[in-house]
Amino acid sequence: GSLGGRMGVLTDPTNGMSREELVRQREQQTAQAMQATVDNQRKQREAQESDRDNKRTIATEIKAKVDKWRQGKKNMRAILSTLHEIVPPGTKWEPVGLAKLLQPTDVKKAYRKALLVIHTDKLPETASAEDQVLAQEVFDAVREAWAAFQHEL
Protein backbone atom coordinates (compact mmCIF):
# COMPACT_ATOMS: atom_id res chain seq x y z
CA GLY A 1 0.00 0.00 0.00
CA SER A 2 1.14 3.43 -0.98
CA LEU A 3 1.02 6.29 1.52
CA GLY A 4 0.10 8.61 -1.29
CA GLY A 5 2.90 11.03 -0.51
CA ARG A 6 1.54 11.93 2.94
CA MET A 7 4.41 11.17 5.23
CA GLY A 8 3.68 12.71 8.61
CA VAL A 9 6.12 13.52 11.32
CA LEU A 10 5.74 11.13 14.24
CA THR A 11 5.52 12.88 17.58
CA ASP A 12 6.39 11.34 20.89
CA PRO A 13 3.10 11.17 22.92
CA THR A 14 5.10 10.74 26.13
CA ASN A 15 6.99 14.00 25.62
CA GLY A 16 10.15 12.12 26.50
CA MET A 17 8.85 11.12 29.96
CA SER A 18 9.87 7.80 31.43
CA ARG A 19 7.33 5.10 32.24
CA GLU A 20 7.62 5.89 35.96
CA GLU A 21 6.96 9.59 35.33
CA LEU A 22 3.91 8.73 33.20
CA VAL A 23 2.55 6.39 35.91
CA ARG A 24 3.13 9.09 38.56
CA GLN A 25 1.41 11.70 36.37
CA ARG A 26 -1.62 9.42 35.81
CA GLU A 27 -1.86 8.62 39.54
CA GLN A 28 -1.70 12.32 40.37
CA GLN A 29 -4.48 13.11 37.87
CA THR A 30 -6.61 10.28 39.28
CA ALA A 31 -6.04 11.51 42.85
CA GLN A 32 -7.01 15.07 41.83
CA ALA A 33 -10.19 13.83 40.12
CA MET A 34 -11.12 11.77 43.18
CA GLN A 35 -10.51 14.73 45.50
CA ALA A 36 -12.66 16.95 43.28
CA THR A 37 -15.48 14.37 43.48
CA VAL A 38 -15.16 14.12 47.27
CA ASP A 39 -15.17 17.93 47.58
CA ASN A 40 -18.24 18.16 45.36
CA GLN A 41 -20.10 15.51 47.39
CA ARG A 42 -19.17 17.30 50.63
CA LYS A 43 -20.56 20.58 49.28
CA GLN A 44 -23.78 18.85 48.22
CA ARG A 45 -24.14 17.22 51.65
CA GLU A 46 -23.55 20.57 53.41
CA ALA A 47 -26.14 22.23 51.16
CA GLN A 48 -28.67 19.48 51.95
CA GLU A 49 -28.02 19.80 55.69
CA SER A 50 -28.39 23.57 55.48
CA ASP A 51 -31.63 23.14 53.54
CA ARG A 52 -32.90 20.67 56.16
CA ASP A 53 -32.06 23.07 59.00
CA ASN A 54 -33.73 25.89 57.11
CA LYS A 55 -36.86 23.77 56.59
CA ARG A 56 -36.99 22.93 60.32
CA THR A 57 -36.92 26.60 61.25
CA ILE A 58 -39.52 27.44 58.63
CA ALA A 59 -41.66 24.47 59.72
CA THR A 60 -41.86 25.77 63.29
CA GLU A 61 -42.99 29.21 62.10
CA ILE A 62 -45.48 27.79 59.62
CA LYS A 63 -46.93 25.30 62.09
CA ALA A 64 -47.70 28.23 64.39
CA LYS A 65 -49.35 30.07 61.47
CA VAL A 66 -51.51 27.04 60.59
CA ASP A 67 -52.40 26.44 64.26
CA LYS A 68 -53.51 30.08 64.52
CA TRP A 69 -55.65 29.66 61.38
CA ARG A 70 -57.24 26.49 62.80
CA GLN A 71 -58.17 28.12 66.13
CA GLY A 72 -61.88 28.39 66.50
CA LYS A 73 -62.59 26.24 63.47
CA LYS A 74 -64.33 23.34 65.09
CA ASN A 75 -65.49 21.52 61.98
CA MET A 76 -64.67 20.49 58.46
CA ARG A 77 -66.99 23.07 56.89
CA ALA A 78 -65.20 25.94 58.66
CA ILE A 79 -61.82 24.55 57.57
CA LEU A 80 -62.88 24.23 53.91
CA SER A 81 -64.65 27.60 53.78
CA THR A 82 -61.54 29.42 55.03
CA LEU A 83 -58.90 27.33 53.25
CA HIS A 84 -58.26 30.15 50.76
CA GLU A 85 -56.87 32.22 53.66
CA ILE A 86 -53.97 29.82 54.28
CA VAL A 87 -53.11 27.89 51.09
CA PRO A 88 -49.72 28.66 49.54
CA PRO A 89 -49.73 31.26 46.78
CA GLY A 90 -50.05 29.77 43.33
CA THR A 91 -52.36 26.94 44.37
CA LYS A 92 -55.56 26.69 42.38
CA TRP A 93 -58.00 26.72 45.29
CA GLU A 94 -61.21 28.64 44.79
CA PRO A 95 -62.96 29.82 47.97
CA VAL A 96 -65.98 27.70 48.91
CA GLY A 97 -68.84 29.32 50.82
CA LEU A 98 -70.54 27.57 53.71
CA ALA A 99 -73.75 27.48 51.66
CA LYS A 100 -72.02 25.09 49.26
CA LEU A 101 -71.00 22.79 52.11
CA LEU A 102 -74.38 21.94 53.60
CA GLN A 103 -74.63 18.32 52.48
CA PRO A 104 -72.05 15.72 53.56
CA THR A 105 -71.54 14.79 49.89
CA ASP A 106 -70.66 18.43 49.12
CA VAL A 107 -68.18 18.43 52.00
CA LYS A 108 -66.64 15.21 50.69
CA LYS A 109 -66.26 16.68 47.18
CA ALA A 110 -64.66 19.85 48.53
CA TYR A 111 -62.37 17.80 50.79
CA ARG A 112 -61.14 15.65 47.91
CA LYS A 113 -60.59 18.71 45.73
CA ALA A 114 -58.71 20.40 48.58
CA LEU A 115 -56.39 17.41 48.96
CA LEU A 116 -55.63 17.45 45.24
CA VAL A 117 -54.93 21.18 45.25
CA ILE A 118 -52.80 21.42 48.40
CA HIS A 119 -50.83 18.18 48.11
CA THR A 120 -47.11 18.96 47.99
CA ASP A 121 -46.76 17.03 44.72
CA LYS A 122 -49.28 19.41 43.11
CA LEU A 123 -47.39 22.61 43.94
CA PRO A 124 -45.65 24.43 41.10
CA GLU A 125 -42.02 23.36 40.64
CA THR A 126 -41.03 26.91 41.57
CA ALA A 127 -42.65 26.58 45.03
CA SER A 128 -40.33 27.66 47.82
CA ALA A 129 -39.40 25.43 50.75
CA GLU A 130 -41.72 27.62 52.81
CA ASP A 131 -44.67 26.93 50.48
CA GLN A 132 -43.93 23.20 50.53
CA VAL A 133 -43.94 23.11 54.33
CA LEU A 134 -47.10 25.24 54.44
CA ALA A 135 -48.85 22.92 51.97
CA GLN A 136 -47.89 19.88 54.06
CA GLU A 137 -49.14 21.47 57.30
CA VAL A 138 -52.43 22.55 55.69
CA PHE A 139 -52.79 19.11 54.08
CA ASP A 140 -52.37 17.47 57.49
CA ALA A 141 -54.85 19.90 59.10
CA VAL A 142 -57.47 19.17 56.44
CA ARG A 143 -57.01 15.41 56.85
CA GLU A 144 -57.37 15.70 60.65
CA ALA A 145 -60.54 17.74 60.23
CA TRP A 146 -61.86 15.14 57.78
CA ALA A 147 -61.24 12.33 60.27
CA ALA A 148 -63.22 14.27 62.91
CA PHE A 149 -65.98 15.03 60.38
CA GLN A 150 -66.36 11.32 59.56
CA HIS A 151 -66.84 10.52 63.25
CA GLU A 152 -69.68 13.08 63.42
CA LEU A 153 -71.62 11.34 60.62
Side-chain angles (χ1 to χ4, degrees):
S2 165
L3 293 176
R6 279 192 260 148
M7 303 243 340
V9 177
L10 294 176
T11 57
D12 180 7
T14 66
N15 293 327
M17 295 171 74
S18 71
R19 181 174 174 78
E20 291 80 19
E21 290 171 323
L22 289 169
V23 168
R24 213 174 8 256
Q25 181 184 32
R26 189 173 60 239
E27 287 173 349
Q28 189 177 26
Q29 289 169 342
T30 301
Q32 288 172 344
M34 287 170 47
Q35 187 61 48
T37 300
V38 168
D39 291 345
N40 191 18
Q41 288 175 343
R42 183 179 300 119
K43 284 179 189 168
Q44 286 178 341
R45 199 168 38 254
E46 288 170 358
Q48 287 171 342
E49 288 171 8
S50 173
D51 190 43
R52 235 188 334 267
D53 291 345
N54 193 13
K55 279 186 177 180
R56 271 192 212 108
T57 302
I58 291 169
T60 303
E61 295 167 2
I62 288 176
K63 187 158 180 38
K65 180 179 175 181
V66 172
D67 288 346
K68 184 177 179 185
W69 165 73
R70 285 178 69 180
Q71 277 181 348
K73 293 175 184 62
K74 300 291 183 208
N75 65 51
M76 187 70 197
R77 290 175 177 93
I79 293 282
L80 289 171
S81 67
T82 60
L83 192 59
H84 62 280
E85 298 171 3
I86 193 83
V87 292
T91 53
K92 293 173 176 61
W93 178 255
E94 294 295 322
V96 179
L98 282 172
K100 291 188 177 180
L101 297 170
L102 295 178
Q103 298 302 315
T105 55
D106 297 332
V107 174
K108 185 175 185 175
K109 274 188 222 170
Y111 162 73
R112 287 188 168 165
K113 184 176 179 188
L115 290 187
L116 287 173
V117 170
I118 60 177
H119 193 278
T120 53
D121 290 346
K122 302 298 181 191
L123 291 177
E125 286 184 25
T126 56
S128 66
E130 214 169 87
D131 289 346
Q132 291 173 6
V133 173
L134 176 59
Q136 185 62 52
E137 287 293 328
V138 172
F139 184 84
D140 293 344
V142 170
R143 289 191 59 197
E144 286 174 27
W146 176 251
F149 179 74
Q150 286 184 302
H151 287 296
E152 293 170 13
L153 297 179

